[in-house]
């Protein structure tokens, strides 16, 4: 194992690359979902609604992406220091999913309460979803690998 500073720098570099790749992939996937629409709601001025919103979809994307990427990070990590899956990695998966869910819901509610109903173009929606996916992917990758190697 290399020094702690080198390991953290390598983990950060890998996490940023993972974030960039996930931002591009999820942005492209979202483009196929929203193309052809003229406007989409970023938020709607009501906690309960039937309209699909960009941030509402981003909450579910962040939560599922956090769980999936935690599992991928665990199973692809090659280290003599990797703990057994149960209970460490399983609890880490749940923690990351709840963390992503909580942060995104909080962020979405703050925007909804301060801005109300906001309409955005499909391109703006794609960029927002890509940013959310990139930040979640980079954060989860770094948190998972740092925790597993500690």
């Amino acid at each position: 194992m290399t020094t702690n500073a080198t390991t953290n720098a390598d983990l950060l570099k890998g996490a940023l690359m993972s974030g960039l790749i996930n931002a591009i992939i999820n942005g492209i996937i979202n483009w196929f979902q929203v193309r052809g629409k003229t406007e989409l709601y970023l938020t709607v001025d009501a906690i309960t609604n039937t309209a699909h919103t960009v941030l509402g979809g981003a909450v579910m994307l962040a939560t599922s992406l956090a769980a999936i990427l935690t599992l991928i990070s665990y199973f692809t990590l090659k280290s003599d220091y990797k703990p057994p899956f149960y209970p460490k990695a399983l609890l880490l998966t749940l923690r990351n999913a709840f963390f992503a869910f909580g942060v995104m819901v909080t962020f979405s509610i703050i925007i909804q309460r301060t801005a109300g109903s906001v309409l955005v173009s499909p391109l703006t929606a794609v960029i927002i979803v890509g940013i959310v996916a990139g930040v979640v992917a980079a954060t989860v990758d770094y948190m998972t690998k740092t925790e597993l190697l500690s």
Side-chain angles (χ1 to χ4, degrees), residues 47-66:
I47 294 294
T48 58
N49 63 68
T50 57
H52 172 76
T53 64
V54 175
L55 290 179
V59 168
M60 292 312 300
L61 171 68
T63 305
S64 59
L65 197 59

Side-chain angles (χ1 to χ4, degrees), residues 84-142:
F85 179 76
Y86 181 80
K88 180 89 172 179
L90 179 62
L91 293 175
L92 190 59
T93 302
L94 293 173
R95 182 194 77 178
N96 287 348
F98 282 119
F99 172 72
F101 178 80
V103 168
M104 281 306 302
V105 166
T106 302
F107 177 70
S108 298
I109 289 175
I110 289 171
I111 290 178
Q112 181 259 331
R113 294 314 256 161
T114 57
S117 296
V118 178
L119 288 167
V120 295
S121 70
L123 181 60
T124 304
V126 167
I127 291 169
I128 290 169
V129 168
I131 290 170
V132 167
V135 169
V136 167
T139 304
V140 165
D141 187 73
Y142 184 77

Side-chain angles (χ1 to χ4, degrees), residues 1-11 81 149:
M1 187 172 210
T2 58
T3 64
N4 200 16
T6 304
T7 302
N8 283 338
D10 291 340
L11 291 177
Y81 305 106
L149 293 174

Side-chain angles (χ1 to χ4, degrees), residues 4-21:
N4 200 16
T6 304
T7 302
N8 283 338
D10 291 340
L11 291 177
L12 185 58
K13 188 169 101 175
L16 292 174
M17 185 58 67
S18 174
L20 179 63
I21 291 168

Side-chain angles (χ1 to χ4, degrees), residues 33-52:
Q33 294 175 337
V34 300
R35 70 179 175 181
K37 297 184 180 181
T38 55
E39 292 179 318
L40 298 132
Y41 280 107
L42 179 65
T43 61
V44 178
D45 194 18
I47 294 294
T48 58
N49 63 68
T50 57
H52 172 76

